[in-house]
């Protein structure tokens, strides 16, 4: 489904939250979902970046998005409860979540991972994502058919030297997705993982500084699977981990 061709209006009337919507893949997903009719809720930690994406969506003539400034690293259960309540009041339901925000940390031997960096990566990539998901479940259940997409990585399926904390956070993300997919089997919320594969963003550049970015797919190139997993054509897909760039 990496070459899926989405029909016009695929996401019309859908309310979709995108985390890390200010840059890289998340910003592209927000613009793309909006162009297929969704009302996007742009969540991120840098307001100026979210505002730039907001402006692009409005300038394109798509449905006006909403902005939620939030640093996942420092957010509490109460923050997510308040967010869920606001979403229910404003929109009545939530039809989709793209959990995209993550940090890489530094690549190093396992022995050299600083304690604070371990905490920060796990807090952002795993704990925050888990807590947000937990608190959003009631508002997701108000949708006729909701899709929750977690972002994984190749190193979340097969461990790789020096990718310690990030890899562990992505393995756990895959596990969290599977637990939720089992709990919600045959219900109105489904859970899947997406693996972008090497994509031209600042995270990729910091992991592979010597790589020529022109050799990589752009975020726009990998959007077919992002659309597929959010739309009705994947309605029966639950508990899967899919690749944007299969080998
Ligand atoms: N690019 C690749 O090759 C690749 C490959 C496999 C998997 N992935 C995964 O794909 C996803 C997107 O990656 P990307 O390459 O687009 O990364 P990116 O360019 O670094 O963008 C990450 C986004 O997450 C946001 N973010 C980070 N920490 C946050 C926090 N504490 N609270 C709120 N937002 C936060 C960033 O906000 P700021 O802009 O404010 O920093 C940014 O908008 C990630 O889950 C990554 O692990 C990427």
């Amino acid at each position: 489904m990496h070459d899926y061709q989405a029909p016009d209006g695929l996401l019309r009337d859908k309310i979709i939250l995108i985390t890390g919507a200010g840059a890289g893949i998340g910003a592209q997903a927000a613009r793309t979902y909006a162009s297929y009719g969704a009302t996007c809720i742009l969540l991120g930690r840098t307001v100026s970046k979210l505002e730039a994406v907001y402006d692009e969506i409005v300038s394109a003539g798509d449905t006006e998005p909403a902005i939620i400034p939030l640093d996942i690293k420092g957010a509490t259960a109460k923050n997510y409860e308040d967010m869920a309540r606001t979403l229910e009041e404003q929109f009545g339901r939530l039809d989709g979540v793209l959990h995209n925000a993550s940090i890489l940390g530094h690549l190093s031997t396992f022995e050299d991972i600083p304690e604070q960096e371990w905490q920060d990566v796990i807090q952002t990539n795993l704990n925050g994502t888990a807590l947000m998901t937990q608190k959003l479940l009631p508002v997701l259940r108000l949708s006729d058919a909701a899709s929750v997409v977690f972002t994984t990585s190749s190193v979340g399926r097969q461990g790789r030297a020096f990718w310690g904390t990030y890899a562990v956070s992505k393995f756990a993300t895959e596990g969290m997705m599977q637990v939720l997919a089992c709990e919600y089997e045959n219900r109105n919320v489904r859970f899947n993982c997406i693996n972008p594969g090497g994509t031209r963003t600042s995270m990729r550049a910091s992991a592979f500084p010597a790589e020529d970015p022109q050799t990589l797919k752009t975020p726009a190139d990998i959007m077919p699977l992002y659309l597929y997993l959010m739309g009705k054509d994947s309605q029966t897909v639950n508990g899967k981990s899919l690749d944007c760039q299969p080998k």
Side-chain angles (χ1 to χ4, degrees), residues 20-26 43-46 49 70-73 100-103 124 151-153 166 170 195-199 201-204 226:
I25 295 168
L43 186 151
R45 62 182 171 181
T46 310
K49 293 184 183 178
L70 190 87
D71 185 343
I72 294 170
K73 194 173 81 178
N100 163 83
S102 278
I103 53 172
T124 304
T151 307
T152 185
S153 164
Y166 178 83
K170 295 298 186 182
N195 174 20
T199 306
T201 67
S202 59
M203 182 187 285
R204 176 76 186 190
Y226 281 78

Side-chain angles (χ1 to χ4, degrees), residues 100-121:
N100 163 83
S102 278
I103 53 172
L104 178 66
H106 296 93
L107 304 188
S108 74
T109 63
F110 198 85
E111 191 174 347
D112 288 331
I113 299 168
E115 182 185 352
Q116 190 58 51
E117 186 169 288
W118 177 276
Q119 306 283 8
D120 290 348
V121 172

Side-chain angles (χ1 to χ4, degrees), residues 7-237:
D8 285 349
L10 175 76
L11 302 176
R12 191 171 295 130
D13 299 328
K14 296 283 185 193
I15 315 292
I16 299 175
L17 173 75
I18 300 112
T19 74
I25 295 168
Q28 182 61 54
R31 290 190 295 264
T32 303
Y33 289 160
S35 75
Y36 279 85
T39 300
C40 290
I41 298 148
L42 313 174
L43 186 151
R45 62 182 171 181
T46 310
V47 175
S48 58
K49 293 184 183 178
L50 299 175
E51 286 175 344
V53 176
Y54 174 102
D55 288 344
E56 286 172 326
I57 290 173
V58 171
S59 301
D62 295 322
T63 306
E64 185 182 6
I67 288 180
I68 299 182
L70 190 87
D71 185 343
I72 294 170
K73 194 173 81 178
T76 63
K78 171 85 168 53
N79 295 136
Y80 294 125
E81 278 164 9
D82 291 346
M83 183 171 105
R85 192 174 315 111
T86 304
L87 290 172
E88 186 175 345
E89 282 166 9
Q90 287 196 3
F91 300 105
R93 67 183 193 284
L94 189 59
D95 299 304
V97 181
L98 174 63
H99 285 295
N100 163 83
S102 278
I103 53 172
L104 178 66
H106 296 93
L107 304 188
S108 74
T109 63
F110 198 85
E111 191 174 347
D112 288 331
I113 299 168
E115 182 185 352
Q116 190 58 51
E117 186 169 288
W118 177 276
Q119 306 283 8
D120 290 348
V121 172
I122 295 294
Q123 185 62 25
T124 304
N125 298 5
L126 177 61
N127 296 346
T129 303
L131 208 49
M132 191 189 309
T133 304
Q134 187 183 52
K135 299 305 175 191
L136 288 176
L137 284 171
V139 69
L140 284 160
R141 286 196 296 265
L142 296 174
S143 168
D144 289 341
S147 174
V148 177
V149 180
F150 296 101
T151 307
T152 185
S153 164
S154 310
V155 298
R157 297 170 180 163
Q158 174 67 53
R160 191 185 300 162
F162 314 127
W163 286 71
T165 323
Y166 178 83
V168 170
S169 76
K170 295 298 186 182
F171 266 94
T173 298
E174 296 255 0
M176 173 165 57
M177 177 277 287
Q178 291 179 17
V179 168
L180 283 159
C182 290
E183 285 186 19
Y184 275 78
E185 208 172 0
N186 300 320
R187 293 174 67 184
N188 63 333
V189 190
R190 59 206 171 83
F191 301 85
N192 294 285
C193 279
I194 197 164
N195 174 20
T199 306
R200 199 184 306 165
T201 67
S202 59
M203 182 187 285
R204 176 76 186 190
S206 66
F208 296 92
E211 183 177 63
D212 176 1
Q214 298 307 318
T215 62
L216 296 168
K217 298 279 190 199
T218 65
D221 292 332
I222 61 170
M223 285 299 118
L225 189 61
Y226 281 78
L227 284 163
Y228 173 71
L229 280 179
M230 212 41 97
K232 62 178 173 11
D233 291 321
S234 62
Q235 199 139 330
T236 57
V237 178

